[in-house]
Amino acid sequence: MATILLVEDDVSFCLMLKTWLQKRGFKIQEAFSCRDAFKCLKDQSFDLVLTDMRLPDQDGLFLLNHLKSVQPSTPVILMTGYAEIPTAVQAIKAGAFDYVTKPFLPEQILAKIEDALSLPDADTTHKSTAFHYITGNTPGAIRLADAIRLVAPTRMSVLIRGESGTGKEYIARM
C-alpha cells in the first residue's frame, strides 16, 4: 500500500480526494499548508506527494524544491486550478512528475499516480532531460522538430493541437 502526502488548502476537495484514494487502497496523510506538509515530511517519508500549486503560506513549487532537497526520489504531482504554461514548465524542470489542471477526472489522477509509483526508485529530477523522442524524417516531422527547437528555449505560449494519441503531450514536454 503506497503512502501519499496530499497537500491541499481546499478542505472539502482534499477530503473528497483523500476518501476516493483511500477506497483505491492508498494510505493518505493530508496537509492543508506548506507548514503542515513540512511537519509531515519531517516525521515520515512518502511514496508520492500530491500538492496544490497555490497554498496559503507558500506555493507548490516551494514545497517541490524543499522535497527534492530532502527526498529526491519521491515523485511529486502538482495540481492547479490556474493553469499557466510557464509555471508548468518551471514545475517539470524543477523535478515534478506531472502538472495537472483542476478539475480533473478521478481516473486521470489515478493513472498519473500509478505511473509515478511505477517509476524505478531513481531520481525523478532528471525526468524532463532524460526524455527521448524519435524524430521522423518526413517533411512534416522535420518542420515540427524545427518549430520545437525554435520555441523550446523561450517563454512563449504555444497551442498544440491534434487528434487523440498523436503525441501532443510528448511535444509539450520537449
Side-chain angles (χ1 to χ4, degrees):
M1 171 172 26
T3 304
I4 298 174
L5 175 60
L6 175 58
V7 187
E8 171 63 64
D9 61 329
D10 181 342
V11 177
S12 59
F13 180 77
C14 182
L15 295 177
M16 178 195 65
L17 187 56
K18 175 184 177 181
T19 302
W20 191 84
L21 289 171
Q22 284 175 327
K23 288 181 180 179
R24 271 57 192 171
F26 296 103
K27 181 179 177 191
I28 307 296
Q29 172 68 47
E30 78 270 358
F32 301 104
S33 67
C34 269
R35 184 179 308 160
D36 293 344
F38 290 159
K39 289 177 187 174
C40 294
L41 291 166
K42 183 179 173 187
D43 295 337
Q44 73 181 92
S45 63
F46 295 89
D47 299 308
L48 181 123
V49 175
L50 186 60
T51 182
D52 191 15
M53 189 64 193
R54 293 188 180 183
L55 297 167
D57 53 354
Q58 288 289 340
D59 65 11
L61 289 175
F62 183 81
L63 179 60
L64 171 66
N65 289 326
H66 172 76
L67 182 67
K68 289 302 173 182
S69 69
V70 295
Q71 296 178 23
S73 64
T74 303
V76 177
I77 298 175
L78 287 161
M79 306 176 292
T80 185
Y82 309 93
E84 299 165 343
I85 300 290
T87 307
V89 170
Q90 187 179 4
I92 297 298
K93 284 184 177 180
F97 176 79
D98 213 331
Y99 182 91
V100 296
T101 305
K102 298 182 213 172
F104 48 77
L105 294 174
E107 292 77 22
Q108 290 174 325
I109 197 70
L110 180 62
K112 290 182 185 297
I113 289 170
E114 289 172 348
D115 288 347
L117 293 172
S118 69
L119 287 176
D121 196 27
D123 188 314
T124 56
T125 59
H126 296 91
K127 180 181 181 292
S128 62
T129 59
F131 185 79
H132 298 289
Y133 182 76
I134 299 172
T135 304
N137 57 7
T138 65
I142 292 169
R143 281 195 315 273
L144 177 61
D146 289 342
I148 292 168
R149 279 192 292 279
L150 178 68
V151 174
T154 70
R155 296 180 55 85
M156 183 184 301
S157 296
V158 177
L159 175 64
I160 303 169
R161 299 182 323 168
E163 296 292 325
S164 177
T166 58
K168 295 180 296 294
E169 187 171 323
Y170 294 118
I171 298 302
R173 288 180 188 225
M174 288 178 63

